[in-house]
Amino acid sequence: MTAVRDFQTLRTLYPASDAHFTRLRVHRSGHDIGWAVVGERRKDGKYGAMRVGSIVDCWALPEDALPVVQAASAALIENGVDLIIFQPESSSLGSRSESGRFLDFAVKLYFCRRQEP
C-alpha cells in the first residue's frame, strides 16, 4: 500500500476516528514486532449469515510475520467472526501459513475458519 510502513503512516491510512477498522500493535517480550489493521466486512449474500473478517493490512519483519498475522486473526476471532480473509502481498508468509491454520491457494488468498469451543 505504501513504501513507508511506520506508526504515523498507519495513523494516516487508518485513523482512529474510522470505526470500520481496528489497529493492532503487536508486542513480544516488551518489544514491538509489527502492526495489523483488521475489520469486519459488510454483509454479503455470498457468505450467508456468516460474519466475515479481514486482515486489511499488516507489517512485520519476515521472522515476525506469522505471530503478527496470528494476533490479527485472534482479534477477529475474539470479535466473533466466522471466516477470516487475508491476501498478503509478500510470499514470505506462504511457507509459514500452514502452521498458522491458514490454507494457501494458487491465488494467494488465505482464510481460516473459527474453531468451535
Side-chain angles (χ1 to χ4, degrees), residues 10 16 19 28 36 38 43 52 66 74 76 82 88 92 101 109 115:
L10 173 68
R28 181 190 303 132
V38 299
K43 299 291 181 201
V52 179
L66 186 58
L76 287 166
D82 300 303
S92 67
R101 292 193 357 230
L109 179 68
Q115 285 185 317

Side-chain angles (χ1 to χ4, degrees), residues 4 11 25 31 42 55 66 88 105-107 110:
V4 179
R11 290 176 58 162
R25 194 171 174 177
H31 294 81
R42 284 172 271 179
I55 300 174
L66 186 58
F105 291 91
V107 294
Y110 296 83

Side-chain angles (χ1 to χ4, degrees), residues 21-110:
F21 300 117
T22 301
R23 299 180 308 185
L24 305 169
R25 194 171 174 177
V26 183
H27 310 273
R28 181 190 303 132
S29 303
H31 294 81
D32 292 340
I33 62 168
W35 56 262
V37 178
V38 299
E40 187 169 349
R41 290 179 168 233
R42 284 172 271 179
K43 299 291 181 201
D44 187 323
K46 67 182 169 190
Y47 297 114
M50 285 196 305
R51 292 181 59 198
V52 179
S54 289
I55 300 174
V56 178
D57 200 356
C58 61
W59 180 89
L61 294 173
E63 61 269 23
D64 296 322
L66 186 58
V68 171
V69 170
Q70 287 173 327
S73 299
L76 287 166
I77 291 167
E78 203 172 286
N79 198 33
V81 301
D82 300 303
L83 178 70
I84 298 171
I85 297 175
F86 173 47
Q87 188 171 358
E89 292 184 19
S90 170
S91 61
S92 67
L93 190 61
S95 62
R96 302 166 190 229
S97 61
E98 292 78 13
S99 62
R101 292 193 357 230
F102 285 85
L103 303 175
D104 189 358
F105 291 91
V107 294
K108 291 293 183 197
L109 179 68
Y110 296 83

